[in-house]
């Protein structure tokens, strides 16, 4: 056990918001660690309300599109709003559901001394222990990937007799519970069905949660409301007991009727538990740790410890960094669903925003740290979902727009919901989800997590369908340039000509940036593989005509077209800064006007913000790192740690619909990890930038296992703000560039010999950086260290 990977708290969790979270990507367990008891809330990644999305009505609103475009062009924002609402679908996404809660009482609820609970991130284990007059108590919990079970071991001489221990289930759904014994082992099973429909909590409804009453068909399937089963066994072992839990649900595929055959599910869960009971407890834990550490050990960050700084201690930031990696490993594995708004943890039937996949920032932010921390395979569930959404979204493209290709709007769910929901057009009618989501599929390939077969057989077909819709959405703006129409900037409004606040226009900066990135990548990939020549020509012809982001008279980057200003100066979204982060990179810094305008826009947003959610703060952190601003990056990290995390490090989002006026939203955790790595390593395909935004408090440190575009792997150590050593394992052959802080001369050494490199000093006296370039071979590791040879030596650098 390594202490710096451990989060210790001196009192039990008061509720879900300061619990510890365990998971294997499929089965989630929320752990509260009480005195004499353990409270769990269980989830399965595919246990949602509802069923496959029904067919759309016969009448298509696509014929309204020309009229909507005309209203936008004429500046009639009220008419554009009304037409946008007429082009919306019916209903909302379904909701991610809890399985059941379980209270496990194993000891008297007496006064405890020396209480401590610990989440060990490296070993994915929760422990709590304390002393009482009756004796010691030690509780250890984990969720096993290899065995697909949740395991809790309780030991000590302060326990109740095993036959007096209590298992009390708290199922939020109509269910049946059955208990029995096999020798000294006590068994329980809980079976029931998910709701057939759940209305989001932001929608007023007399019947917010409804359950199906239909009889399953002969094959056990139902139209909506899948079945579930949870099975638990309490087994006496030497020195105490262990509790083993498994669960199953009736999901059969995003377009398939779910199963309500709870007997089969219960038998499958029971078989899983029985198999785990036949394995020694130590072996179970060893298997689990080895499975978790195959992911956790790929990447590491160590920062100086300054305990006297409390929440501003760099070691606290380091722990937040590792916590984000831990949560991704626990909530997203190959073969599971992608992490939703709360990963895989949710105790509520009507969770905030349905705990769905919100695709106008939140789902994407969930996967910002995946590639860069060496966890690219954990993004496979997202890739799978995008592939399915491209299929599902083709119906929405045809029905709502009369368009080819595929479209998805601002959120989706297990059933690959793709239509514009009923609501305000500034969020409901945004059409940019697939261009943004597919950029992660591109990253999956570009960072080296997938090969060219993936790019040719999966990525390119996805890009082609999204491009078909994108080309349909482009119109001339009257000057010969192409703009997206209709267009919006997610969840933000502008001041219309009539003085009202509206959301629908043409050519929002975010949409223009998304389309540019989409078309460029499609042309690059199609040309490389010689596919889709006609579509490539259309995309290639459109690219130079796309309107570039505009800069307003005040020097800020425009969020919409000419003359439009935002209605909320401190808005939580930074959609128009998409080109800065996540889309930008070191090569984008060649345009200082863009960078200056983006920075002015960011400053104005921050100066006017109130109650900024955690994910928005994490986005600021990422942009500060991209801008090379260590002070702003440090303030963003401190803001997260001091104001926007619970004591168990869950990142918060203000939300008036719950007692504490805030909810856990996991994207803030993931964005924080991505942002901190961005402070240290940034990349373009041909090179890497080190220590771009290193705060003074992080003067010394070490990072290993970072990944860069081109499939490069990066280790770097630094002291007093300067690189002491770095190792680059190159993913692609060709000229390689490394940008590092100036202040030392460096030499580059390959695996067997020194490498002649060129050094170019930055002309920007503020940045004080230098660039080393050398010809690199794929698969070769190069070590960068301070030079100590003479200027005529083959290993020396030249200025």
């Amino acid at each position: 056990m390594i202490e710096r990977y451990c989060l210790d708290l001196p009192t039990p969790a008061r509720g879900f918001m300061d619990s510890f979270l365990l998971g294997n990507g499929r089965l989630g367990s929320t752990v509260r660690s009480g005195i004499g008891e353990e409270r769990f809330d269980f989830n399965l990644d595919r246990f949602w309300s509802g069923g496959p999305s029904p067919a759309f009505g016969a009448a298509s609103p696509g014929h309204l599109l020309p009229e909507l475009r005309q209203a936008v062009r004429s500046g009639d924002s009220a008419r554009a709003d009304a037409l946008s609402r007429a082009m919306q679908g019916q209903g909302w996404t379904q909701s991610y559901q809890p399985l059941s809660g379980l209270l496990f009482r194993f000891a008297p609820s007496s006064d405890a001394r020396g209480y401590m609970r610990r989440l060990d991130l490296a070993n994915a284990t929760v422990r709590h222990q304390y002393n009482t007059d009756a004796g010691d108590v030690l509780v250890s919990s984990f969720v096993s990937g290899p065995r697909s079970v949740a395991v809790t071991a309780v030991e000590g001489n302060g326990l109740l007799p095993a036959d007096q221990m209590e298992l009390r289930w708290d199922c939020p759904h109509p269910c049946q519970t059955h208990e029995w014994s096999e020798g000294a082992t006590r068994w329980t099973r809980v079976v029931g069905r998910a709701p057939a429909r759940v209305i989001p909590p932001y929608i007023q409804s007399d019947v917010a949660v409804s359950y199906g009453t239909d009889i399953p068909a002969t094959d056990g399937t139902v139209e909506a409301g899948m079945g579930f089963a949870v099975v638990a066994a309490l087994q006496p072992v030497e020195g105490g007991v262990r509790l083993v839990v498994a669960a199953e649900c009736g999901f059969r595929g995003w377009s398939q009727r779910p199963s309500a055959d709870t007997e089969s599910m219960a038998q499958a869960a029971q078989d899983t538990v029985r198999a785990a009971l036949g394995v020694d407890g130590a072996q179970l834990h060893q298997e689990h740790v080895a499975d978790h550490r195959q992911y956790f050990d790929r990447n590491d960050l160590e920062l100086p410890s300054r305990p006297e700084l409390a929440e501003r201690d760099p070691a606290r930031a380091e722990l937040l960094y590792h916590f984000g990696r831990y949560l991704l490993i626990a909530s997203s594995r190959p073969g599971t669903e992608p992490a939703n708004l709360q990963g895989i943890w949710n105790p509520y039937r009507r969770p905030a925003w349905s705990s769905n996949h919100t695709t106008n920032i939140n789902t994407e932010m969930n996967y910002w740290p995946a590639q860069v921390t060496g966890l690219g395979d954990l993004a496979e569930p997202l890739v799978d979902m995008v592939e399915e959404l491209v299929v599902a979204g083709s119906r929405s493209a045809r029905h709502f727009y009369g368009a080819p290709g595929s479209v998805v709007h601002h959120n989706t769910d297990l059933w690959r919901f793709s239509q514009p929901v009923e609501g305000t057009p500034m969020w409901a009618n945004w059409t940019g989800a697939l261009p943004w989501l597919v950029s992660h599929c591109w990253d999956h390939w570009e960072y080296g997590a997938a090969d060219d077969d993936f790019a040719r057989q999966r990525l390119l077909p996805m890009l082609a369908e999204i491009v078909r819709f994108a080309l349909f959405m482009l119109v001339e703006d009257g000057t010969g340039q192409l703009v997206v129409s209709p267009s919006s900037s997610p969840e933000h409004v502008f001041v219309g000509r009539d003085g009202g606040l509206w959301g629908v226009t043409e050519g929002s900066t975010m949409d223009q940036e998304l389309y540019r990135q989409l078309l460029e990548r499609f042309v690059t990939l199609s040309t490389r593989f010689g596919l889709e020549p006609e579509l490539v020509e259309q995309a290639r012809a459109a690219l130079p005509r796309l309107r570039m982001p505009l800069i307003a008279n005040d020097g800020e980057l425009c969020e919409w077209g000419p003359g439009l200003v935002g209605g909320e100066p401190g808005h939580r979204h930074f959609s128009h800064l998409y080109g800065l982060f996540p889309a930008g990179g070191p090569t984008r810094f060649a345009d200082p006007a863009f960078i200056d305008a983006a920075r002015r826009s960011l400053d104005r947003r921050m100066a006017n913000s109130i109650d900024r959610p955690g994910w928005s703060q994490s986005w600021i952190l990422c942009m500060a790192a991209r801008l090379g601003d260590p002070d702003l990056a440090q303030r963003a990290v401190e803001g997260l740690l001091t104001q926007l995390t619970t004591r168990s490090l869950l990142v918060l989002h203000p939300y008036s619909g719950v007692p504490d006026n805030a909810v856990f939203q996991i994207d803030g955790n993931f964005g924080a990890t991505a942002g901190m790595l961005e402070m240290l390593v940034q990349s373009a395909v041909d090179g890497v930038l080190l220590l771009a935004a290193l705060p003074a408090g992080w003067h010394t440190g070490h990072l290993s296992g970072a990944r860069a575009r081109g499939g490069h792997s990066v280790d770097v150590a630094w002291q007093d703000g300067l690189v002491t050593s770095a190792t680059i394992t190159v993913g692609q052959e060709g000229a390689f560039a490394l940008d590092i802080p100036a202040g030392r001369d460096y030499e580059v050494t390959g695996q067997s010999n020194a490498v002649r490199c060129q050094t170019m000093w930055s002309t920007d006296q503020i940045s004080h950086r230098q660039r080393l370039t050398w010809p690199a071979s794929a698969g070769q590791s190069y070590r960068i260290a301070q030079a100590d040879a003479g200027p005529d030596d083959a290993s020396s650098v030249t200025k």
Side-chain angles (χ1 to χ4, degrees), residues 327-343:
L327 289 176
L328 187 60
I329 297 166
S331 63
S332 183
R333 299 277 189 98
T336 71
E337 282 298 295
N340 63 50
L341 282 176
Q342 294 187 170

Side-chain angles (χ1 to χ4, degrees), residues 745 747 756-757 787-799:
D745 291 341
E747 64 181 6
R756 180 176 292 277
C757 65
D788 56 7
D792 296 327
D793 192 284
S795 64
S796 68
V797 298
T798 56
K799 296 182 183 176

Side-chain angles (χ1 to χ4, degrees), residues 437-749:
L437 287 168
V438 81
S439 72
H440 284 265
C441 303
W442 174 278
D443 290 345
H444 194 60
W445 170 66
E446 193 172 45
Y447 277 86
D451 58 19
D452 282 355
D453 286 341
F454 165 84
R456 182 188 300 106
Q457 297 169 14
R458 298 183 65 189
L459 174 56
L460 190 53
M462 285 188 271
L463 286 169
E465 290 305 301
I466 302 167
V467 164
R468 287 187 174 92
F469 181 81
L471 292 173
F472 179 86
M473 293 293 285
L474 290 172
V475 300
E476 288 193 4
D477 68 350
T479 70
Q481 294 182 304
L482 295 178
V483 291
V484 182
S485 182
S487 177
S488 56
S489 192
E491 304 192 25
H492 196 192
V493 292
F494 57 86
V495 180
R497 294 180 184 176
D498 58 1
L501 298 180
W502 308 104
V504 180
T505 181
E506 62 182 16
S508 77
T509 294
M510 180 179 215
D511 285 348
Q512 296 296 117
E513 291 280 82
L514 283 169
Y515 275 40
R516 181 175 302 280
Q517 183 184 65
L518 170 70
L519 297 181
E520 287 175 346
R521 289 176 169 180
F522 172 69
V523 168
T524 298
L525 205 61
S526 298
T527 302
R528 174 171 178 169
F529 295 124
L531 301 173
E532 299 279 359
E534 293 184 8
L535 192 60
V536 169
E537 286 309 307
Q538 295 175 45
R540 183 178 284 118
L543 268 168
R545 299 179 61 198
L546 284 177
R547 188 175 73 193
M548 292 293 290
L550 303 174
I551 297 177
N553 291 334
D554 61 3
E556 290 187 30
L557 196 69
C558 293
E559 189 163 357
W560 299 275
L564 296 180
V565 298
E568 297 180 46
H571 197 266
R572 61 196 174 277
H573 283 251
F574 301 95
S575 303
H576 58 312
L577 302 185
Y578 176 84
L580 175 63
F581 191 95
T587 55
R588 194 67 185 265
F589 279 56
D591 184 355
F594 171 84
I595 296 302
D596 182 64
R599 180 59 198 249
R600 287 171 180 266
S601 297
L602 176 59
D603 288 344
R604 185 166 186 263
R605 275 284 209 272
M606 292 189 299
N608 289 278
S609 65
I610 300 175
D611 293 332
R612 183 166 299 284
W615 63 262
S616 184
Q617 184 81 347
S618 292
W619 200 348
I620 291 173
L621 167 60
C622 292
M623 289 186 289
R626 185 61 57 83
L627 288 166
D629 187 336
D631 294 334
L632 177 57
Q634 176 68 13
R635 293 199 304 273
V637 172
E638 291 179 357
L640 284 165
L641 286 170
T642 59
Q643 302 172 25
L644 291 166
T645 54
T646 69
R647 60 182 186 150
S648 59
L649 292 184
L650 305 184
V651 173
L652 297 170
H653 188 301
Y655 186 75
S656 60
V658 296
D660 294 332
N661 293 321
V663 297
F664 164 48
Q665 201 163 293
I666 202 169
D667 43 12
N669 286 101
F670 293 140
T673 296
M676 283 186 273
L677 193 142
E678 190 77 14
M679 295 162 69
L680 305 174
V681 175
Q682 299 178 22
S683 69
V685 175
D686 62 345
V688 170
L689 186 154
L690 299 181
L691 309 187
L694 188 70
W698 296 16
H699 53 82
T700 301
H702 176 262
L703 173 71
S704 64
R707 300 286 292 185
R709 294 187 183 277
H712 313 306
S713 179
V714 181
D715 299 348
V716 58
W718 65 94
Q719 186 171 0
D720 299 325
L722 296 175
V723 173
T724 56
S725 65
T727 300
I728 311 291
T729 302
V730 173
Q732 293 182 6
E733 187 129 351
F736 187 88
L738 181 69
D739 285 344
I740 56 177
R744 292 179 178 171
D745 291 341
Y746 294 92
E747 64 181 6
V748 179
T749 306

Side-chain angles (χ1 to χ4, degrees), residues 20-53:
F20 287 152
L21 307 180
L22 295 169
N24 62 6
R26 175 179 179 271
L27 176 63
S29 177
T30 304
V31 185
R32 299 192 186 181
S33 302
I35 306 299
E37 64 186 33
E38 188 61 278
R39 163 76 192 199
F40 306 97
D41 289 291
F42 294 111
N43 292 92
L44 277 177
D45 65 318
R46 287 173 171 154
F47 186 60
W48 289 62
S49 63
S53 299

Side-chain angles (χ1 to χ4, degrees), residues 296-314:
F296 192 85
D297 289 350
R298 295 178 188 176
N299 173 247
D300 194 20
L301 170 65
E302 186 169 8
L303 297 174
S305 178
R306 297 280 305 279
E308 71 275 11
L309 297 179
E311 297 296 331
R312 293 177 171 82
D313 183 357

